[in-house]
Amino acid sequence: MEGSRRGVLALLVILAGLTAPGSSYEITEGPQNVTVLQGSEARFNCTVTHGWKLIMWSLNGVVELSITSQETIITNERFTSVNYNGSDSFISEMIIHDVQPSDSGLVQCSLQNSNVVRSAFLSVQVMGTLDIPSNSLLVTKGEPCNVTCYALGWTPLPVISWELEVPVINSSYYSVLEPGNFTSALSILALTPLGNGTLTCVAELKNLQASKSLTVNLTVGRPPPVVESTGSSLPTWAIVLLAVAFSLLLILVIALVVVFCCCGVCRREKEESSYQSEIRKTASMKTNKTDPETRLKSGKENYGYSSDEARAAQIASLPPKSGEVSLPGQRSHLSPYQEQKTRQPRAASHPRVSFDTASPQKVRNATLV
């Protein structure tokens, strides 16, 4: 209700001013461009000559404040004014409290019954936040590393720099826009630390000389032991152990192959020796069983023995002798007495040889002593 009443009162004052007779007053100095941070105050001054009736302040085409010589008409609690009277001029100051990004735009100061308007521009900047993923960083001494600082929700984007309280070999940084977000940026610091210290990320809005910073601790650790590798991630002792193990395995395989070969050769020689012994034994047994009649009853061998076939051939080649050999045709005409007489030996010292013509295949030769 109070706001509506003030709006109506402001409208009546404006109408009254517009209907009042004109005069020679004018705006000698208009407002100036202002850039402020979100949440702060923005102040604009308008200087006019004496004799004015009504001063109006508007933001983006909307009258927010009206001032007469008797009072100030406020339509929005965030807009107030302070007036200053000089010897030959009057200064009206409009104050915008708790400025928001939506307040950015054109600010105008105008007088009644005058076409003279003075304008200025209000720019509201937003200071966002800073973020480093870790509040305490652990890095390796003498090894290059990167630290990233994120500036989120800034309008416009800030200028990011670094303050190093760390002994380093070298350092550099660069800033880029965060992909897909035009109100955020990130800065990457590359350095090679040599000791402990702090790193400070500083984001600054140049137009306002306003900045925000974030500090993190940097702790330097000892470098890991140097491992000489040729494309392998295993430590040296593991590589040596594997080499020794493979060598022992190779020697064991060679030894097993040699042992198996030797065993095979020995087994083959033993089998051949056993086979030859069996062959000799079998041959000996066959020799003993081939002709048992070739041995004498006394067990002594007659070395003067010849085979039946050879003896028969020899007898056939000899001429027949009387009284010694009887042919088969003549054998039937001899009497048993004659046959017995014929077979008597001539001398006792000569061996007796008898021939059985009926069975010429077997001839037994014996020596009687």
Side-chain angles (χ1 to χ4, degrees):
M1 291 294 295
E2 185 178 357
S4 300
R5 188 182 306 167
R6 289 180 178 179
V8 173
L9 181 60
L11 180 60
L12 293 176
V13 170
I14 294 172
L15 292 175
L18 292 175
T19 58
S23 62
S24 60
Y25 54 84
E26 61 181 7
I27 300 174
T28 58
E29 184 179 357
Q32 304 295 319
N33 295 335
V34 174
T35 300
V36 295
L37 282 175
Q38 178 186 8
S40 62
E41 293 181 352
R43 294 174 177 267
F44 297 91
N45 292 331
C46 186
T47 304
V48 298
T49 59
H50 289 293
W52 59 274
K53 300 297 181 179
L54 180 65
I55 301 174
M56 295 177 295
W57 289 95
S58 64
L59 176 63
N60 293 327
V62 178
V63 177
E64 301 289 355
L65 189 65
S66 300
I67 303 170
T68 66
S69 57
Q70 290 81 21
E71 62 178 341
T72 300
I73 304 172
I74 299 174
T75 58
N76 192 328
E77 297 293 338
R78 294 195 304 115
F79 294 83
T80 61
S81 67
V82 177
N83 301 323
Y84 305 94
N85 281 315
S87 58
D88 55 355
S89 64
F90 176 84
I91 300 175
S92 175
E93 181 180 34
M94 181 182 69
I95 304 172
I96 305 175
H97 303 273
D98 191 20
V99 179
Q100 298 299 318
S102 59
D103 295 333
S104 297
L106 189 64
V107 176
Q108 291 179 326
C109 173
S110 61
L111 298 175
Q112 67 177 5
N113 298 331
S114 174
N115 294 327
V116 179
V117 178
R118 297 290 184 265
S119 303
F121 192 83
L122 171 62
S123 176
V124 179
Q125 297 187 357
V126 180
M127 182 179 291
T129 61
L130 292 177
D131 180 52
I132 297 177
S134 178
N135 292 330
S136 181
L137 304 175
L138 178 61
V139 296
T140 302
K141 182 178 181 180
E143 292 293 333
C145 63
N146 294 333
V147 182
T148 304
C149 178
Y150 295 90
L152 306 175
W154 292 69
T155 304
L157 292 176
V159 177
I160 304 176
S161 60
W162 290 85
E163 296 178 358
L164 279 64
E165 298 293 335
V166 175
V168 297
I169 297 177
N170 51 59
S171 63
S172 62
Y173 62 89
Y174 63 94
S175 299
V176 294
L177 288 174
E178 186 175 7
N181 192 344
F182 297 103
T183 63
S184 300
L186 57 92
S187 179
I188 301 175
L189 171 65
L191 72 160
T192 304
L194 295 177
N196 301 333
T198 59
L199 301 175
T200 302
C201 176
V202 180
E204 183 179 7
L205 295 173
K206 290 295 186 180
N207 293 336
L208 298 177
Q209 299 297 316
S211 64
K212 182 178 288 189
S213 63
L214 178 63
T215 302
V216 294
N217 295 321
L218 183 70
T219 303
V220 175
R222 294 182 179 180
V226 179
V227 178
E228 297 180 359
S229 60
T230 56
S232 175
S233 60
L234 294 176
T236 305
W237 64 268
I239 297 175
V240 172
L241 184 61
L242 289 176
V244 172
F246 280 119
S247 301
L248 293 176
L249 181 60
L250 181 60
I251 293 173
L252 180 60
V253 170
I254 294 174
L256 290 175
V257 171
V258 172
V259 169
F260 281 124
C261 292
C262 293
C263 291
V265 171
C266 293
R267 189 181 298 109
R268 195 178 300 111
E269 291 178 355
K270 190 176 294 183
E271 290 177 356
E272 291 179 356
S273 176
S274 176
Y275 178 74
Q276 292 176 358
S277 299
E278 291 293 331
I279 292 297
R280 285 194 291 269
K281 184 176 180 180
T282 304
S284 176
M285 292 176 66
K286 287 182 177 180
T287 303
N288 293 333
K289 294 179 180 181
T290 300
D291 192 4
E293 297 180 356
T294 57
R295 294 184 178 275
L296 297 176
K297 293 181 180 180
S298 61
K300 295 183 179 180
E301 185 179 357
N302 185 6
Y303 294 98
Y305 168 75
S306 62
S307 63
D308 296 342
E309 290 79 2
R311 175 67 79 175
Q314 184 178 2
I315 294 173
S317 64
L318 293 178
K321 293 182 181 182
S322 60
E324 292 182 355
V325 178
S326 61
L327 297 174
Q330 297 176 357
R331 184 175 181 181
S332 60
H333 300 287
L334 294 177
S335 63
Y337 176 76
Q338 290 177 347
E339 183 179 355
Q340 182 177 5
K341 185 178 180 181
T342 303
R343 291 183 179 179
Q344 291 180 353
R346 294 180 181 179
S349 60
H350 290 267
R352 179 182 294 178
V353 178
S354 62
F355 298 92
D356 189 359
T357 58
S359 179
Q361 293 181 357
K362 292 185 180 181
V363 178
R364 180 173 296 176
N365 186 6
T367 302
L368 302 177
V369 181

